[in-house]
Amino acid sequence: MTLNEGYLFLLCGIVTWLPRILPFIFSKKLIFPSKIQLFLDYLPMCILGALFFQSLFTFEKNQWPILKIPELIACIPTLIVGYYTKDLMKIVVTGMISIAVLRLIF
């Protein structure tokens, strides 16, 4: 990788990272009306649920969704850690380790 490619890679990372992080930074300093706050309280759960089900199933056109067994098995320890710790970092690390081990096995 040349120096210009390295800078391009870094720039692409920053451009990808900024739109995901800046809204969180700015929204922490704002005070929202109660109805908007109630809506925003449910929004992360909806997004996480959609991502969760999207990662568990393979969707093909004109077919029923196909369950991904290794991902389903990896969810079990991840959900248990999430239930007991409620710590996002521990949840993510558990999920990554679980799926890595299962991909080595399968």
Side-chain angles (χ1 to χ4, degrees):
M1 179 183 320
T2 66
L3 190 59
N4 288 338
E5 289 173 341
Y7 284 127
L8 181 63
F9 185 71
L10 181 64
L11 182 63
C12 288
I14 291 170
V15 168
T16 301
W17 182 72
L18 281 177
R20 291 178 169 94
I21 299 302
L22 286 178
F24 289 111
I25 293 171
F26 290 127
S27 68
K28 293 282 185 189
K29 299 180 189 275
L30 294 174
I31 298 172
F32 295 104
S34 61
K35 289 185 179 185
I36 293 175
Q37 186 63 43
L38 181 65
F39 170 74
L40 291 175
D41 287 341
Y42 286 104
L43 191 60
M45 184 57 71
C46 294
I47 293 171
L48 288 174
L51 292 172
F52 178 72
F53 287 109
Q54 181 182 5
S55 68
L56 284 181
F57 294 97
T58 301
F59 298 96
E60 299 289 333
K61 190 174 181 179
N62 298 327
Q63 291 183 351
W64 285 94
I66 301 167
L67 183 62
K68 298 178 187 175
I69 300 301
E71 283 80 355
L72 179 66
I73 295 169
C75 284
I76 295 168
T78 306
L79 290 172
I80 292 170
V81 168
Y83 179 77
Y84 286 109
T85 66
K86 295 178 181 45
D87 183 357
L88 185 59
M89 185 60 73
K90 291 176 184 171
I91 295 167
V92 170
V93 169
T94 303
M96 290 172 54
I97 291 171
S98 300
I99 197 65
V101 168
L102 287 168
R103 286 186 179 166
L104 283 174
I105 295 170
F106 289 109

